[in-house]
Structures are given as C-alpha cells and as structure tokens.
Amino acid sequence: MTSVPPLIRTRDNDFFFAAAAAGRLEIQRCAACKVLRHPPGPACPACRSFDWDTVVSSRRATLHSWTVVHHPRDPAFDYPLAVGLVDLAEGVRLVADIAEVDLATLAIDMELEVGFAEHGRGEILPRLFPPGQARGAAR
C-alpha cells in the first residue's frame, strides 16, 4: 500500500497527464503572448491571459539541481531515490525522478532526457533518463 496521494487533475493540467499517458511531454503556452509555463495554471503570469494552448517538448533537458531521498520510504519507490529539477530545452523547468543514472555521476548541467514510467498509483508520469535511454518514447 502506497501513501502517494492520487493525482489532482483539473481543466488546466489534464492535458499534461493525458499527454504523458500517451508518451508525450506537452508544455502549456499562453495563446496571447506565447510565453511557456510549467507547472500549468489558469492564467499567464506574463500577460494574465486565460487563453492557452500547448507545445510538444523535445524532451531534452539539463540537470539544474537534484536531491537524493532516503527516508521516509514508500513501497512505490526504489531507494535511494534521485529527484531532479531540469531545464527543458524549451526554457521551462520540470521536476521528476531520475532513473538509470549512477548517483555518483550526477552533475549540474548534465544532459538528460524525459521519458515516462508508471508511478505510485499506476499513472504514467515523466521520468529522467540518460540521453538515448528514455522509456515511453513519443508515439
């Protein structure tokens, strides 16, 4: 039994979770001023427009920061669990688990690629992999 809370899906973020389930990383974009934003929200922080669309990310990323979680342990995760904050090529940041990387090799500005994997309650969410090793490629 996991203590991971269920996803909270709204009109503003449902596209993100639906795209992830289909193996795509989509970023919310203001329809008025074209500024990208993540995490998704109802209004553009730049111009306050409520109109938005999405763009499909290249999934290329560089590591901005990370942490390694050891406790508290949840059966939904493998430990130690590396969680990274990455700069996507499109200019926004994303937080996701890091997979298949030796923790001793993690370094600021290392290249990573966004893939997808099943999460604690069966949802498909972004996960960070070494370039060329991402699972859940765009379909």
Side-chain angles (χ1 to χ4, degrees), residues 9-10 13 17 37 42 61 69 89-90 97 104-105 107 113 115 119 122 124-125 127 133 135 137 139:
R9 293 175 83 143
T10 68
N13 69 18
F17 298 118
R37 63 183 183 258
V69 179
E90 292 76 19
D97 298 347
T105 66
E113 182 179 0
H119 199 54
I124 304 299
L125 294 176
R127 187 165 290 167
Q133 295 181 29
R135 296 183 196 150
R139 297 176 193 158

Side-chain angles (χ1 to χ4, degrees), residues 34-128:
K34 306 302 183 203
V35 167
L36 298 177
R37 63 183 183 258
H38 187 79
C44 176
C47 74
R48 300 293 183 216
S49 172
F50 287 97
D51 298 324
W52 57 269
D53 59 10
T54 65
V55 297
V56 177
S57 171
S58 68
R59 300 184 351 211
R60 290 178 292 127
T62 57
L63 189 58
H64 179 82
S65 183
W66 75 93
T67 190
V68 178
V69 179
H70 296 276
H71 297 284
R73 290 184 180 249
D74 186 284
F77 301 98
D78 295 324
Y79 292 88
L81 173 65
V83 179
L85 173 65
V86 293
D87 294 314
L88 295 175
E90 292 76 19
V92 296
R93 288 189 172 153
L94 175 78
V95 174
D97 298 347
I98 301 172
E100 300 179 17
V101 175
D102 178 354
L103 299 182
T105 66
L106 290 174
I108 301 296
D109 293 329
M110 90 181 289
E111 292 183 18
L112 294 168
E113 182 179 0
V114 179
F116 302 91
E118 188 173 316
H119 199 54
R121 294 187 176 269
E123 304 98 344
I124 304 299
L125 294 176
R127 187 165 290 167
L128 304 169

